[in-house]
Amino acid sequence: MKSVFMLPVLCTVIFVRVGLGQDFEPNYEESRVPDYALPDPLRFEHGGQVGNPEDWKERRAEVFRLFESEVYGKSPEWDGELRAETLFENPDFLDGKASRKGVRLYLKRNAKEIFFDVLLFYPNTGQPVPAFLGLNFYGNHTLASDAQVPVTQAWIRNNETMGSSENKASEAGRGKRIPNWPYEAILSRGYGLVSLYYGEVDPDFDDGFRNGVHALYPEEARNEASWGSIAGWAWGLSRVMDFLETEAWVQPEKVAVLGHSRLGKAALWAGAMDTRFALVISNNSGCGGAALSRRKYGETVGRINRSFPHWFAANFSRYNENESALPIDQHQLLALMAPRPVYVASGVEDRWADPRGEFLSCVAASPVYALFGLQGMPVTTQPPLDQPEMGHIGYHVRSGGHGLLPYDWQQYLDFADMHF
Ligand code: GTR
Protein backbone atom coordinates (compact mmCIF):
# COMPACT_ATOMS: atom_id res chain seq x y z
CA MET A 1 0.00 0.00 0.00
CA LYS A 2 2.70 2.36 1.09
CA SER A 3 4.79 1.96 -2.09
CA VAL A 4 1.76 2.58 -4.34
CA PHE A 5 1.03 5.73 -2.43
CA MET A 6 4.65 6.83 -2.40
CA LEU A 7 5.18 6.45 -6.13
CA PRO A 8 3.47 9.65 -7.30
CA VAL A 9 5.11 11.59 -4.48
CA LEU A 10 8.50 10.21 -5.46
CA CYS A 11 7.88 10.96 -9.14
CA THR A 12 6.89 14.52 -8.30
CA VAL A 13 10.01 15.02 -6.21
CA ILE A 14 12.23 13.65 -9.00
CA PHE A 15 10.41 15.71 -11.61
CA VAL A 16 10.71 18.93 -9.63
CA ARG A 17 14.39 18.36 -8.93
CA VAL A 18 15.33 17.30 -12.44
CA GLY A 19 12.81 19.66 -14.00
CA LEU A 20 14.12 22.74 -12.31
CA GLY A 21 17.67 21.52 -12.32
CA GLN A 22 18.08 22.29 -8.63
CA ASP A 23 20.67 19.57 -8.33
CA PHE A 24 22.60 20.86 -11.32
CA GLU A 25 26.27 21.39 -10.51
CA PRO A 26 27.89 23.43 -13.26
CA ASN A 27 31.39 22.45 -14.23
CA TYR A 28 33.86 25.29 -13.78
CA GLU A 29 37.01 23.17 -14.01
CA GLU A 30 38.87 23.35 -17.31
CA SER A 31 40.38 19.95 -16.52
CA ARG A 32 36.89 18.42 -16.39
CA VAL A 33 35.88 19.62 -19.85
CA PRO A 34 35.37 16.39 -21.80
CA ASP A 35 37.25 15.52 -24.97
CA TYR A 36 35.13 16.46 -27.92
CA ALA A 37 35.34 16.75 -31.68
CA LEU A 38 33.59 19.68 -33.36
CA PRO A 39 31.66 19.19 -36.58
CA ASP A 40 33.68 20.57 -39.49
CA PRO A 41 31.95 23.68 -40.89
CA LEU A 42 33.64 23.04 -44.24
CA ARG A 43 32.50 19.44 -44.70
CA PHE A 44 29.22 18.76 -46.53
CA GLU A 45 26.78 16.27 -45.02
CA HIS A 46 27.65 13.89 -47.88
CA GLY A 47 31.30 14.11 -46.79
CA GLY A 48 32.65 16.37 -49.56
CA GLN A 49 34.93 19.30 -48.82
CA VAL A 50 33.81 22.93 -49.15
CA GLY A 51 36.49 24.56 -51.29
CA ASN A 52 35.27 28.05 -52.19
CA PRO A 53 32.62 30.70 -51.46
CA GLU A 54 30.31 29.17 -54.07
CA ASP A 55 30.36 25.80 -52.25
CA TRP A 56 29.82 27.63 -48.98
CA LYS A 57 26.44 28.92 -50.18
CA GLU A 58 25.27 25.33 -50.39
CA ARG A 59 26.95 24.25 -47.18
CA ARG A 60 25.60 27.32 -45.40
CA ALA A 61 22.07 26.26 -46.33
CA GLU A 62 22.70 22.83 -44.76
CA VAL A 63 24.05 24.33 -41.55
CA PHE A 64 21.26 26.89 -41.38
CA ARG A 65 18.60 24.20 -41.74
CA LEU A 66 20.15 22.22 -38.89
CA PHE A 67 20.08 25.21 -36.55
CA GLU A 68 16.52 25.81 -37.60
CA SER A 69 15.27 22.29 -36.97
CA GLU A 70 17.48 21.25 -34.03
CA VAL A 71 18.08 24.44 -32.06
CA TYR A 72 15.94 27.57 -32.57
CA GLY A 73 12.97 26.36 -34.63
CA LYS A 74 11.73 27.60 -37.96
CA SER A 75 10.36 31.14 -38.16
CA PRO A 76 7.62 31.81 -40.72
CA GLU A 77 8.03 34.01 -43.77
CA TRP A 78 6.58 37.43 -42.97
CA ASP A 79 3.52 37.90 -45.16
CA GLY A 80 1.59 40.53 -43.20
CA GLU A 81 1.40 44.32 -43.20
CA LEU A 82 3.73 46.60 -41.29
CA ARG A 83 2.57 50.07 -40.33
CA ALA A 84 4.53 52.70 -38.43
CA GLU A 85 3.02 55.42 -36.28
CA THR A 86 5.18 58.17 -34.81
CA LEU A 87 4.40 58.54 -31.10
CA PHE A 88 6.74 61.44 -30.33
CA GLU A 89 9.64 63.20 -31.95
CA ASN A 90 12.32 65.41 -30.47
CA PRO A 91 14.71 66.96 -33.02
CA ASP A 92 16.43 68.96 -30.24
CA PHE A 93 17.67 66.09 -28.18
CA LEU A 94 21.02 66.65 -26.39
CA ASP A 95 20.95 70.41 -27.09
CA GLY A 96 20.14 69.82 -30.73
CA LYS A 97 23.06 67.47 -31.37
CA ALA A 98 20.70 64.58 -31.96
CA SER A 99 17.11 63.50 -32.51
CA ARG A 100 15.09 61.02 -30.52
CA LYS A 101 11.79 59.56 -31.55
CA GLY A 102 9.35 56.85 -30.63
CA VAL A 103 7.62 54.81 -33.30
CA ARG A 104 4.93 52.20 -32.80
CA LEU A 105 5.26 49.37 -35.31
CA TYR A 106 2.01 47.55 -35.97
CA LEU A 107 2.25 44.05 -37.41
CA LYS A 108 -1.01 42.91 -38.89
CA ARG A 109 -1.71 39.52 -40.33
CA ASN A 110 -5.22 38.26 -41.08
CA ALA A 111 -7.40 39.22 -38.14
CA LYS A 112 -4.57 39.65 -35.68
CA GLU A 113 -2.55 42.79 -34.92
CA ILE A 114 0.26 43.30 -32.44
CA PHE A 115 2.63 46.20 -31.95
CA PHE A 116 6.02 47.03 -30.58
CA ASP A 117 7.39 50.44 -29.65
CA VAL A 118 10.78 51.34 -31.07
CA LEU A 119 13.00 54.03 -29.61
CA LEU A 120 15.38 55.72 -32.05
CA PHE A 121 18.31 58.06 -31.44
CA TYR A 122 20.36 59.55 -34.25
CA PRO A 123 22.88 62.36 -34.67
CA ASN A 124 21.68 65.50 -36.46
CA THR A 125 24.35 65.30 -39.13
CA GLY A 126 21.97 65.72 -42.03
CA GLN A 127 23.50 62.58 -43.57
CA PRO A 128 22.36 58.98 -43.23
CA VAL A 129 24.40 57.19 -40.55
CA PRO A 130 25.16 53.60 -39.52
CA ALA A 131 23.26 52.31 -36.51
CA PHE A 132 23.13 49.72 -33.74
CA LEU A 133 19.90 47.82 -33.19
CA GLY A 134 19.23 45.82 -30.04
CA LEU A 135 16.44 44.51 -27.87
CA ASN A 136 16.34 45.75 -24.28
CA PHE A 137 15.33 43.82 -21.16
CA TYR A 138 13.13 46.21 -19.18
CA GLY A 139 11.33 48.64 -21.49
CA ASN A 140 12.27 51.72 -23.52
CA HIS A 141 11.63 54.03 -20.55
CA THR A 142 14.69 52.49 -18.87
CA LEU A 143 16.74 54.14 -21.66
CA ALA A 144 15.23 57.59 -21.04
CA SER A 145 15.48 59.93 -18.05
CA ASP A 146 12.47 62.05 -19.05
CA ALA A 147 8.77 61.25 -19.27
CA GLN A 148 8.45 61.57 -23.06
CA VAL A 149 9.16 57.86 -23.39
CA PRO A 150 6.21 56.04 -21.81
CA VAL A 151 6.58 53.14 -19.40
CA THR A 152 5.96 49.88 -21.24
CA GLN A 153 2.55 48.34 -20.57
CA ALA A 154 3.64 44.88 -21.69
CA TRP A 155 4.26 41.91 -19.42
CA ILE A 156 7.60 42.30 -17.71
CA ARG A 157 9.74 39.97 -15.65
CA ASN A 158 9.57 40.63 -11.92
CA ASN A 159 12.29 42.95 -10.84
CA GLU A 160 12.21 45.04 -7.70
CA THR A 161 13.96 48.01 -9.19
CA MET A 162 12.40 47.93 -12.63
CA GLY A 163 8.75 47.38 -11.86
CA SER A 164 6.14 46.19 -9.45
CA SER A 165 5.66 42.64 -8.37
CA GLU A 166 2.82 42.09 -10.81
CA ASN A 167 4.81 41.78 -14.01
CA LYS A 168 4.17 45.43 -14.81
CA ALA A 169 6.89 48.00 -15.30
CA SER A 170 6.74 51.27 -13.39
CA GLU A 171 8.36 54.70 -13.21
CA ALA A 172 10.89 53.18 -10.79
CA GLY A 173 12.82 51.82 -13.76
CA ARG A 174 13.03 55.08 -15.67
CA GLY A 175 16.55 55.78 -16.96
CA LYS A 176 18.03 52.86 -15.01
CA ARG A 177 19.53 51.19 -18.09
CA ILE A 178 21.18 54.23 -19.68
CA PRO A 179 24.63 52.99 -18.52
CA ASN A 180 24.02 49.82 -20.56
CA TRP A 181 22.91 51.85 -23.60
CA PRO A 182 25.30 54.84 -23.54
CA TYR A 183 23.54 56.74 -26.32
CA GLU A 184 25.54 59.95 -25.82
CA ALA A 185 28.81 58.15 -26.54
CA ILE A 186 27.25 56.24 -29.44
CA LEU A 187 25.79 59.40 -31.00
CA SER A 188 29.03 61.34 -30.56
CA ARG A 189 30.81 58.64 -32.57
CA GLY A 190 28.36 59.22 -35.44
CA TYR A 191 26.08 56.22 -34.94
CA GLY A 192 22.37 55.91 -34.39
CA LEU A 193 20.86 53.64 -31.76
CA VAL A 194 17.58 51.75 -32.08
CA SER A 195 16.10 49.72 -29.25
CA LEU A 196 12.86 48.05 -28.26
CA TYR A 197 11.58 46.00 -25.36
CA TYR A 198 11.91 42.28 -26.07
CA GLY A 199 8.78 41.38 -24.09
CA GLU A 200 6.63 43.27 -26.63
CA VAL A 201 8.01 41.02 -29.36
CA ASP A 202 7.44 37.86 -27.35
CA PRO A 203 6.89 37.66 -23.59
CA ASP A 204 9.60 35.69 -21.84
CA PHE A 205 7.55 32.96 -20.21
CA ASP A 206 6.16 29.63 -21.27
CA ASP A 207 2.81 30.88 -22.59
CA GLY A 208 2.16 28.04 -25.02
CA PHE A 209 3.20 30.48 -27.76
CA ARG A 210 -0.12 32.31 -27.59
CA ASN A 211 1.26 35.85 -27.33
CA GLY A 212 3.68 38.15 -29.12
CA VAL A 213 4.76 37.37 -32.66
CA HIS A 214 3.67 33.73 -32.29
CA ALA A 215 0.06 34.95 -32.11
CA LEU A 216 0.32 36.21 -35.70
CA TYR A 217 0.68 32.62 -36.93
CA PRO A 218 -2.00 30.64 -35.09
CA GLU A 219 -2.23 28.13 -37.93
CA GLU A 220 1.42 27.14 -37.52
CA ALA A 221 1.16 23.63 -36.14
CA ARG A 222 3.29 23.36 -33.02
CA ASN A 223 5.80 20.66 -33.65
CA GLU A 224 9.27 19.68 -32.52
CA ALA A 225 10.87 22.18 -34.90
CA SER A 226 8.56 25.19 -34.35
CA TRP A 227 10.02 28.56 -33.48
CA GLY A 228 10.79 29.25 -29.85
CA SER A 229 11.06 32.65 -28.20
CA ILE A 230 14.66 33.27 -29.29
CA ALA A 231 13.56 32.81 -32.90
CA GLY A 232 10.59 35.09 -32.19
CA TRP A 233 12.80 37.86 -30.80
CA ALA A 234 15.18 37.48 -33.75
CA TRP A 235 12.30 37.59 -36.21
CA GLY A 236 11.04 40.78 -34.55
CA LEU A 237 14.44 42.38 -35.17
CA SER A 238 13.95 41.72 -38.88
CA ARG A 239 10.63 43.55 -38.77
CA VAL A 240 12.40 46.54 -37.25
CA MET A 241 14.91 46.25 -40.07
CA ASP A 242 12.01 46.35 -42.58
CA PHE A 243 11.03 49.65 -41.00
CA LEU A 244 14.60 51.02 -40.87
CA GLU A 245 14.82 50.50 -44.62
CA THR A 246 12.17 53.22 -44.93
CA GLU A 247 13.95 55.69 -42.62
CA ALA A 248 15.95 58.53 -44.19
CA TRP A 249 18.42 59.04 -41.32
CA VAL A 250 19.89 55.53 -41.38
CA GLN A 251 22.15 53.66 -43.80
CA PRO A 252 20.25 50.35 -43.84
CA GLU A 253 23.26 48.57 -45.31
CA LYS A 254 25.19 49.53 -42.16
CA VAL A 255 23.03 48.23 -39.35
CA ALA A 256 24.73 46.24 -36.59
CA VAL A 257 22.46 43.95 -34.59
CA LEU A 258 23.48 43.43 -30.99
CA GLY A 259 22.22 41.72 -27.87
CA HIS A 260 23.19 40.77 -24.35
CA SER A 261 22.77 37.32 -22.82
CA ARG A 262 19.53 35.64 -24.00
CA LEU A 263 19.19 38.61 -26.33
CA GLY A 264 22.74 37.95 -27.53
CA LYS A 265 21.54 34.50 -28.57
CA ALA A 266 18.65 36.25 -30.37
CA ALA A 267 21.02 38.74 -32.07
CA LEU A 268 23.14 35.86 -33.41
CA TRP A 269 20.12 34.02 -34.72
CA ALA A 270 18.81 37.28 -36.25
CA GLY A 271 22.15 37.74 -38.03
CA ALA A 272 21.97 34.15 -39.30
CA MET A 273 18.39 34.45 -40.55
CA ASP A 274 18.66 37.92 -42.05
CA THR A 275 21.77 38.83 -44.00
CA ARG A 276 20.66 42.47 -44.15
CA PHE A 277 22.35 42.78 -40.74
CA ALA A 278 25.80 43.90 -41.81
CA LEU A 279 27.49 43.27 -38.47
CA VAL A 280 26.50 41.04 -35.57
CA ILE A 281 27.40 41.37 -31.89
CA SER A 282 27.00 38.82 -29.13
CA ASN A 283 27.50 40.15 -25.62
CA ASN A 284 27.83 37.37 -23.00
CA SER A 285 25.44 35.11 -24.94
CA GLY A 286 26.84 31.84 -23.57
CA CYS A 287 25.01 28.54 -23.96
CA GLY A 288 22.79 28.45 -27.04
CA GLY A 289 24.64 31.58 -28.18
CA ALA A 290 28.34 31.86 -28.92
CA ALA A 291 29.65 29.20 -26.48
CA LEU A 292 30.44 25.67 -27.64
CA SER A 293 27.83 23.24 -26.31
CA ARG A 294 30.19 20.26 -26.33
CA ARG A 295 32.39 21.77 -23.60
CA LYS A 296 29.60 21.44 -21.03
CA TYR A 297 31.23 24.24 -19.06
CA GLY A 298 28.88 26.42 -16.98
CA GLU A 299 25.36 26.32 -18.37
CA THR A 300 24.65 23.19 -20.42
CA VAL A 301 22.11 22.26 -23.09
CA GLY A 302 20.16 20.16 -20.58
CA ARG A 303 20.12 22.89 -18.01
CA ILE A 304 19.02 25.64 -20.39
CA ASN A 305 16.22 23.52 -21.87
CA ARG A 306 14.89 22.68 -18.42
CA SER A 307 15.05 26.24 -17.16
CA PHE A 308 13.73 27.90 -20.31
CA PRO A 309 11.69 25.36 -22.29
CA HIS A 310 10.15 28.13 -24.41
CA TRP A 311 13.41 29.57 -25.76
CA PHE A 312 14.29 26.86 -28.29
CA ALA A 313 12.69 24.35 -30.63
CA ALA A 314 11.50 21.29 -28.70
CA ASN A 315 14.02 19.26 -30.69
CA PHE A 316 16.90 20.94 -28.86
CA SER A 317 16.04 19.02 -25.69
CA ARG A 318 16.95 15.78 -27.48
CA TYR A 319 20.55 16.83 -26.86
CA ASN A 320 20.22 17.28 -23.11
CA GLU A 321 23.25 15.49 -21.61
CA ASN A 322 23.80 14.26 -25.15
CA GLU A 323 25.75 17.13 -26.76
CA SER A 324 27.97 14.91 -28.87
CA ALA A 325 24.87 13.90 -30.87
CA LEU A 326 24.31 17.49 -32.00
CA PRO A 327 24.87 17.68 -35.77
CA ILE A 328 26.24 21.22 -35.33
CA ASP A 329 27.90 23.28 -32.60
CA GLN A 330 27.78 26.99 -31.94
CA HIS A 331 30.95 27.88 -33.90
CA GLN A 332 28.83 27.10 -36.96
CA LEU A 333 26.31 29.70 -35.87
CA LEU A 334 29.11 32.29 -35.95
CA ALA A 335 30.19 30.94 -39.33
CA LEU A 336 26.69 31.63 -40.70
CA MET A 337 27.60 35.35 -40.53
CA ALA A 338 30.55 34.98 -42.92
CA PRO A 339 31.79 37.01 -44.65
CA ARG A 340 30.04 39.65 -42.50
CA PRO A 341 31.89 40.72 -39.35
CA VAL A 342 30.82 39.24 -36.02
CA TYR A 343 31.97 40.21 -32.50
CA VAL A 344 31.82 38.00 -29.43
CA ALA A 345 32.41 39.44 -25.95
CA SER A 346 32.77 37.70 -22.61
CA GLY A 347 33.10 38.82 -18.98
CA VAL A 348 35.77 36.89 -17.11
CA GLU A 349 33.61 36.32 -14.03
CA ASP A 350 30.66 35.24 -16.14
CA ARG A 351 31.73 31.60 -16.05
CA TRP A 352 28.13 30.46 -16.50
CA ALA A 353 28.45 31.72 -20.12
CA ASP A 354 31.82 29.95 -20.63
CA PRO A 355 34.12 32.77 -21.85
CA ARG A 356 36.70 30.29 -23.11
CA GLY A 357 34.05 28.31 -24.97
CA GLU A 358 32.97 31.56 -26.64
CA PHE A 359 36.53 32.28 -27.70
CA LEU A 360 37.13 28.75 -29.04
CA SER A 361 33.95 29.11 -31.02
CA CYS A 362 35.43 32.19 -32.74
CA VAL A 363 38.59 30.24 -33.59
CA ALA A 364 36.63 27.29 -34.97
CA ALA A 365 34.47 29.59 -37.15
CA SER A 366 37.53 31.21 -38.72
CA PRO A 367 38.17 28.69 -41.55
CA VAL A 368 34.91 29.83 -43.13
CA TYR A 369 36.20 33.41 -43.23
CA ALA A 370 39.48 32.15 -44.68
CA LEU A 371 37.47 30.72 -47.56
CA PHE A 372 36.62 34.34 -48.43
CA GLY A 373 40.25 35.39 -48.05
CA LEU A 374 39.42 37.08 -44.75
CA GLN A 375 40.97 36.80 -41.34
CA GLY A 376 38.41 35.58 -38.81
CA MET A 377 39.86 35.48 -35.29
CA PRO A 378 43.44 36.81 -35.48
CA VAL A 379 44.74 34.66 -32.58
CA THR A 380 44.36 31.06 -31.46
CA THR A 381 45.05 31.55 -27.75
CA GLN A 382 42.53 33.44 -25.70
CA PRO A 383 43.65 37.08 -25.43
CA PRO A 384 44.53 38.49 -21.99
CA LEU A 385 41.93 40.42 -20.02
CA ASP A 386 40.75 43.66 -21.59
CA GLN A 387 42.78 43.21 -24.76
CA PRO A 388 40.39 42.95 -27.69
CA GLU A 389 41.35 41.17 -30.89
CA MET A 390 39.63 42.24 -34.07
CA GLY A 391 39.69 40.54 -37.42
CA HIS A 392 36.47 39.83 -39.25
CA ILE A 393 35.69 38.10 -36.00
CA GLY A 394 36.25 40.22 -32.90
CA TYR A 395 36.62 38.99 -29.34
CA HIS A 396 37.36 40.32 -25.89
CA VAL A 397 37.14 39.03 -22.39
CA ARG A 398 36.82 41.97 -20.06
CA SER A 399 37.16 42.32 -16.32
CA GLY A 400 33.94 41.79 -14.41
CA GLY A 401 30.85 39.72 -14.83
CA HIS A 402 27.63 39.41 -16.77
CA GLY A 403 26.55 42.73 -18.29
CA LEU A 404 26.57 45.08 -21.26
CA LEU A 405 29.02 47.76 -20.15
CA PRO A 406 30.47 50.99 -21.59
CA TYR A 407 33.76 49.11 -22.11
CA ASP A 408 31.95 46.64 -24.37
CA TRP A 409 30.37 49.49 -26.33
CA GLN A 410 33.78 51.13 -26.91
CA GLN A 411 34.98 47.94 -28.58
CA TYR A 412 31.80 47.61 -30.66
CA LEU A 413 32.19 51.19 -31.86
CA ASP A 414 35.83 50.55 -32.80
CA PHE A 415 34.87 47.31 -34.55
CA ALA A 416 32.08 49.07 -36.46
CA ASP A 417 34.47 51.92 -37.43
CA MET A 418 36.88 49.30 -38.72
CA HIS A 419 34.30 47.57 -40.91
CA PHE A 420 31.84 50.29 -41.95
C1 GTR B 1 20.36 33.03 -17.53
C2 GTR B 1 20.47 31.99 -18.60
C3 GTR B 1 21.50 32.39 -19.60
C4 GTR B 1 21.37 33.85 -20.02
C5 GTR B 1 20.87 34.75 -18.93
C6 GTR B 1 20.30 36.09 -19.36
O1 GTR B 1 19.49 32.70 -16.53
O2 GTR B 1 20.82 30.78 -17.98
O3 GTR B 1 21.46 31.51 -20.69
O4 GTR B 1 20.61 33.98 -21.15
O5 GTR B 1 19.89 34.19 -18.18
O6 GTR B 1 19.64 36.21 -20.38
O7 GTR B 1 20.46 37.03 -18.59
Side-chain angles (χ1 to χ4, degrees), residues 343 346 359 377 379 381-390 394-399 407 411:
Y343 199 106
S346 311
F359 171 72
M377 188 74 251
V379 293
T381 41
Q382 196 175 6
L385 265 191
D386 305 319
Q387 290 187 35
E389 286 289 345
M390 300 186 197
Y395 178 83
H396 71 248
V397 54
R398 60 152 170 74
S399 318
Y407 176 87
Q411 314 321 315

Side-chain angles (χ1 to χ4, degrees), residues 137 261-262 265 299 304 308 311 352 402:
F137 272 95
S261 207
R262 70 198 65 188
K265 308 179 212 293
E299 188 172 31
I304 205 169
F308 306 103
W311 281 4
W352 184 243
H402 197 63

